[in-house]
Amino acid sequence: MNLFTHLGRYFILMYRVFSKPQRFSVYWRQIIHEINNIGISSLPIIAIISVFMGGIITIQAAFGFSSPWVPLYAIGFTTRESILLEFSPTIVSLILAGKVGSNIASEIGAMRITEQIDALEIMGINSAGYLIFPKIAAAIIIFPFLIALSMFLGIWGGYAMGVAANACSSYEYIFGIQAYFEPWKLYYSFTKVIVFAYIITSVSSYFGYYTYGGALEVGKSSTRAVVYSSILILFFGLILTNLFFSR
Amino acid sequence: MIEIKNINKTFGDRHIIKDISFKFYQGKTNLIIGESGCGKTTLLKLMVGLHAADTGEILYHNKNFPALDNKGKQEIRTKIGMLFQGGALFDSLTLEENVQFPLDMFTHLSKTEKAERVNYCLDKVQLSGKNKLYPSELSGGMKKRAALARAIANSPDYLFCDEPNSGLDPKTSIVIDNLIQDITRELNITTVIITHDMNSVMEIGDNVMFIHKGENWWTGDKTEILNTKNAELFDFVFASEFIKKVYKKNAS
């Protein structure tokens, strides 16, 4: 199947996903369920990775800035910039593409092969809207909070590791994370997060929804969902970076 | 009543359904029988709109389903209940949530009314008290009965059953057959069942169509089947040597 067939099917699916909900109260209940399923359940992995990555970035920055000509507050500054601009929005999104994307594709794929989607269609329910819209909405709502938490924990992890390893003083680190702060970079980061949330959920849902066959195909759909979501995250990350930084 | 007229369906160069016409009567259990791969499930999927027929008409009380607009199709779909071969219960929902699902989507009943309806349907399929179980906690027969409860929850006018007895022991099969027949008569609905289980045919075959190689090969009822002169149907019915011997012995 060529790229244009996939694109065509994807946009037809999205048209169905964003058509008017049949019963909004049911959709709303599903959105709450998905916020828990997609978002809250991802908290532990995001927290662990963010704290450790913050620590690692700080140690690497301290090692790189060993010259007496570079002020020590540059460690905090570098950690903040790395985490705010790239680590939290992009790397954490790639991790979520693995966790959430594979989960969505396998869940919807399994529903397809066990005829649960057919059951919805025969009942007269827009299966694409009922299954996919709440996932996209939930991700767009919850991902910014997850990434904000990741930013906070990453910077805190850097602080804890920097001070514990005696790479810089508490004052220097805190001064560094406040230095030359430009608020528009947060706007850039959260724009990326929202775009990535949409990519992860819609692309994974697409591969799950068009699963045909058996358990083997569900596995393949899950893998494709992660691979294509990751590639698209990087691709759109590049486009957005170009848009925001080329001024 | 459902009537299909001159239905044809091809997949690539394979002609699966060949000009089939048949009437499925209200208040009766209408059976579609035939060997595996003869086109039974495809015909069922055409009738419920999961596939589109190449040519022909599918009339639900004289309304041609494929020719209706989305709103018209939606209206008919809300009157359809379907029992899938594997049950197709929603894994993430409990039994009562599964049965309540069509009520949540299509009715404005109060919580109490919904609970009453759910309990009525579960009682009808002898699953009272199992409300909080998940599909993974049910046996094969219980899953079929639960799916039947969901299929009738929204008081359908048409009930479709795809191999309701597959994978079940003979006793449970009879329970499911009788349930479907009772529901059909009590609710006066049009029931269409796909099966290749001859016990079911002999139990509940009010109106039977035998499909052979995608064609409507024979029609009749359960009493006519045993005396058929149709060679293909005879081979299908008496595929088992044991049944053939028993039948010949009884006949002589």
Side-chain angles (χ1 to χ4, degrees):
Chain A
M1 200 180 287
N2 66 34
L3 176 69
F4 291 106
T5 314
H6 276 296
L7 277 175
R9 284 205 315 188
Y10 172 81
F11 285 114
I12 290 169
L13 181 69
M14 286 304 115
Y15 174 75
R16 290 184 61 207
V17 167
F18 291 105
S19 55
K20 192 181 164 207
Q22 282 156 304
R23 186 60 69 88
F24 198 79
S25 59
V26 177
Y27 275 50
W28 180 244
R29 205 168 57 203
Q30 282 298 102
I31 291 172
I32 302 295
H33 170 75
E34 294 297 347
I35 284 176
N36 182 48
N37 193 27
I38 291 172
I40 310 300
S41 69
S42 303
L43 277 176
I45 189 166
I46 286 177
I48 291 167
I49 289 171
S50 301
V51 170
F52 279 87
M53 283 305 290
I56 290 166
I57 291 168
T58 301
I59 290 170
Q60 287 183 349
F63 180 77
F65 297 151
S66 53
S67 162
W69 296 103
V70 180
L72 283 178
Y73 73 80
I75 295 170
F77 172 79
T78 306
T79 305
R80 184 202 73 202
E81 290 289 288
S82 306
I83 286 174
L84 255 57
L85 292 177
E86 219 44 53
F87 169 71
S88 288
T90 307
I91 306 300
V92 171
S93 291
L94 286 171
I95 291 161
L96 287 172
K99 184 191 174 289
V100 175
S102 62
N103 180 294
I104 289 175
S106 50
E107 179 191 327
I108 297 180
M111 287 187 78
R112 168 65 76 191
I113 64 163
T114 55
E115 297 180 311
Q116 292 176 49
I117 292 180
D118 288 345
L120 287 169
E121 288 292 328
I122 288 169
M123 281 180 207
I125 292 162
N126 171 7
S127 62
Y130 173 76
L131 292 174
I132 301 172
F133 178 78
K135 293 185 198 305
I136 293 176
I140 287 175
I141 292 168
I142 199 69
F143 272 28
F145 290 99
L146 292 177
I147 300 304
L149 181 78
S150 162
M151 288 171 176
F152 172 78
L153 290 174
I155 290 171
W156 180 82
Y159 170 80
M161 190 52 74
V163 174
N166 222 5
C168 61
S169 68
S170 169
Y171 171 78
E172 282 158 336
Y173 188 87
I174 291 171
F175 181 80
I177 61 173
Q178 295 176 82
Y180 312 111
F181 179 67
E182 293 169 291
W184 69 267
K185 287 181 181 171
L186 273 182
Y187 179 61
Y188 156 73
S189 293
F190 283 105
T191 305
K192 282 208 296 188
V193 170
I194 289 168
V195 172
F196 296 163
Y198 174 77
I199 288 171
I200 292 169
T201 43
S202 67
V203 170
S204 305
S205 299
Y206 167 76
F207 283 108
Y209 196 82
Y210 289 108
T211 300
Y212 293 102
L216 192 66
E217 280 72 21
V218 174
K220 283 180 184 169
S221 294
S222 180
T223 307
R224 278 191 204 111
V226 176
V227 170
Y228 285 97
S229 298
S230 303
I231 292 169
L232 286 169
I233 283 172
L234 295 172
F235 180 70
F236 278 91
L238 185 67
I239 291 174
L240 288 169
T241 305
N242 206 20
L243 283 174
F244 274 85
F245 283 85
S246 61
R247 35 177 208 149
Chain B
M1 190 181 82
I2 305 170
E3 185 176 3
I4 54 175
K5 287 182 180 173
N6 310 108
I7 299 290
N8 280 284
K9 179 68 182 173
T10 51
F11 288 108
D13 55 358
R14 291 182 304 139
H15 199 167
I16 306 294
I17 301 292
K18 297 170 187 164
D19 208 39
I20 289 185
S21 299
F22 193 63
K23 278 183 184 174
F24 301 90
Y25 295 103
Q26 192 171 345
K28 287 190 174 180
T29 43
N30 304 275
L31 270 61
I32 303 173
I33 62 170
E35 295 161 20
S36 298
C38 71
K40 304 185 297 287
T41 302
T42 304
L43 182 63
L44 189 84
K45 287 186 174 178
L46 293 172
M47 290 174 70
V48 296
L50 285 177
H51 291 323
D54 298 339
T55 58
E57 293 180 341
I58 298 161
L59 304 165
Y60 284 82
H61 280 98
N62 296 322
K63 284 183 185 168
N64 186 13
F65 182 66
L68 293 173
D69 59 8
N70 282 341
K71 202 182 163 193
K73 281 183 182 165
Q74 172 80 4
E75 233 170 67
I76 287 182
R77 280 191 164 133
T78 56
K79 292 177 189 166
I80 291 177
M82 179 142 176
L83 170 58
F84 283 87
Q85 198 171 346
L89 294 167
F90 305 127
D91 300 323
S92 57
L93 305 180
T94 61
L95 197 45
E96 72 175 4
E97 286 167 342
N98 262 288
V99 178
Q100 194 178 307
F101 186 80
L103 304 175
D104 286 338
M105 292 303 288
F106 298 113
T107 69
H108 291 92
L109 298 176
S110 67
K111 269 188 177 177
T112 323
E113 288 168 324
K114 281 181 197 168
E116 277 172 13
R117 181 71 191 161
V118 167
N119 287 331
Y120 167 80
C121 293
L122 289 177
D123 187 44
K124 202 103 202 89
V125 298
Q126 297 149 26
L127 281 176
S128 299
K130 310 280 185 197
N131 303 38
K132 301 292 177 195
L133 292 181
Y134 281 90
S136 57
E137 298 172 285
L138 303 177
S139 68
M142 286 163 89
K143 274 183 193 167
K144 291 272 165 79
R145 282 186 276 153
L148 188 57
R150 185 181 65 185
I152 61 166
N154 204 17
S155 309
D157 290 342
Y158 316 100
L159 178 63
F160 291 89
C161 307
D162 185 6
E163 312 241 5
N165 301 321
S166 68
L168 299 181
D169 64 85
K171 264 189 169 179
T172 314
S173 292
I174 291 170
V175 171
I176 298 279
D177 285 340
N178 291 337
L179 265 174
I180 293 171
Q181 192 169 46
D182 290 348
I183 287 165
T184 304
R185 298 212 168 129
E186 197 180 317
L187 306 178
N188 193 29
I189 57 180
T190 308
T191 298
V192 180
I193 302 169
I194 283 185
T195 188
H196 44 57
D197 179 1
M198 282 314 297
N199 286 333
S200 294
V201 178
M202 300 320 296
E203 282 279 332
I204 58 169
D206 294 337
N207 181 30
V208 182
M209 166 168 59
F210 173 62
I211 298 183
H212 180 66
K213 292 181 178 171
E215 288 180 57
N216 181 352
W217 210 252
W218 180 91
T219 56
D221 64 29
K222 62 185 177 187
T223 56
E224 295 164 326
I225 280 187
L226 291 177
N227 304 316
T228 182
K229 299 279 184 282
N230 186 303
E232 284 76 16
L233 179 60
F234 189 85
D235 282 348
F236 176 74
V237 174
F238 297 104
S240 154
E241 282 300 320
F242 173 72
I243 293 177
K244 216 180 265 181
K245 275 179 195 165
V246 171
Y247 178 70
K248 276 180 185 169
K249 195 177 170 187
N250 286 345
S252 63

